[in-house]
Amino acid sequence: MTNPYGDIELDAQGMRALAHPVRLAILTRLQSDGPSTATALSEHVGATPSVASWHLRHLAKHGLVRDSEQRGSGRERWWEAAARGIRFTATDDASRAAYDALRTTMEAAEGDLVGDWQRDVEPHLEPEWAEVAGRSNTTVLVTAQEAAEVEGAIEQVLAPYVLRKDAPETAPDGAREVRLLRHAMPQGARSHE
């Protein structure tokens, strides 16, 4: 599988490290808002500054965060996300429990993204944005290799827009963040006649 966004690819240990609500909240905050200190993060992640600092060091051991080169002076330690996103899969039985734990933590943190958007945002969209909003539910008949190729092709199409977040000044006037939720859900094994 390709990784055109430069996301961190987590192994089972990395998945277990991130499968903690405070650590996930810290990483999410750093990815969305940029560099910060343990003290500033603590206000947003439900932890004291010392607990946030401990979690930051734990995330750093797994390569998910690092010292920020852009900021920091003397007593203040600034942290930043090591990448804009993460990737994780359960490739064997040993990583399945870690995968499940991280997925469960992420789903709990996300809450009802779609329902919240439908209630709070969708009714107020301008017509041109309402027209491009929506959902699709498409089933395809493919091999595992073809499914990987489809996912890779989608990521290649999205890559310039994902990477644009690193240089928002290059975005055209009127650009907005748009969340695209994708789920690839293969059916269980069965024969197709």
Side-chain angles (χ1 to χ4, degrees):
M1 182 77 65
T2 63
N3 185 353
Y5 314 147
D7 293 340
I8 292 175
E9 298 187 23
L10 298 177
D11 60 10
Q13 287 183 324
M15 286 185 270
R16 280 191 290 278
L18 195 54
H20 186 286
V22 172
R23 287 194 285 268
L24 180 61
I26 287 171
L27 181 61
T28 300
R29 191 82 180 184
L30 289 173
Q31 287 173 329
S32 66
D33 295 351
S36 190
T37 64
T39 299
L41 287 165
S42 69
E43 300 170 16
H44 303 284
V45 301
T48 65
S50 61
V51 169
S53 180
W54 184 87
H55 284 300
L56 281 159
R57 289 191 306 275
H58 193 73
L59 289 168
K61 284 182 197 174
H62 295 279
L64 293 161
V65 302
R66 62 184 172 225
D67 286 311
S68 176
E69 295 177 12
Q70 301 171 343
R71 300 199 174 160
S73 62
R75 295 175 33 134
E76 278 191 325
R77 186 172 185 182
W78 284 76
W79 297 88
E80 65 186 12
R84 79 183 47 73
I86 59 167
R87 292 168 184 257
F88 61 102
T89 58
T91 55
D92 54 33
D93 290 341
S95 62
R96 180 44 119 188
Y99 173 89
D100 289 342
L102 179 52
R103 184 185 63 201
T104 299
T105 302
M106 291 177 83
E107 288 172 356
E110 290 170 351
D112 184 11
L113 284 174
V114 175
D116 292 346
W117 175 83
Q118 287 173 332
R119 181 189 65 243
D120 300 335
V121 178
E122 186 179 29
H124 308 289
L125 287 175
E126 299 89 337
E128 66 271 16
W129 285 103
E131 193 173 307
V132 299
R135 118 192 246 159
S136 66
N137 184 340
T138 305
T139 301
V140 296
L141 183 60
V142 295
T143 65
Q145 174 67 33
E146 290 168 331
E149 290 169 4
V150 168
E151 181 66 20
I154 291 169
E155 289 196 342
Q156 289 302 321
V157 167
L158 293 177
Y161 308 106
V162 171
L163 299 174
R164 183 187 281 166
K165 285 193 68 170
D166 292 341
E169 67 280 359
T170 65
D173 288 341
R176 293 184 186 178
E177 287 189 6
V178 175
R179 183 180 296 257
L180 303 173
L181 301 175
R182 297 188 333 261
H183 295 271
M185 301 183 297
Q187 296 296 311
R190 67 175 193 231
S191 63
H192 292 281
E193 300 176 20

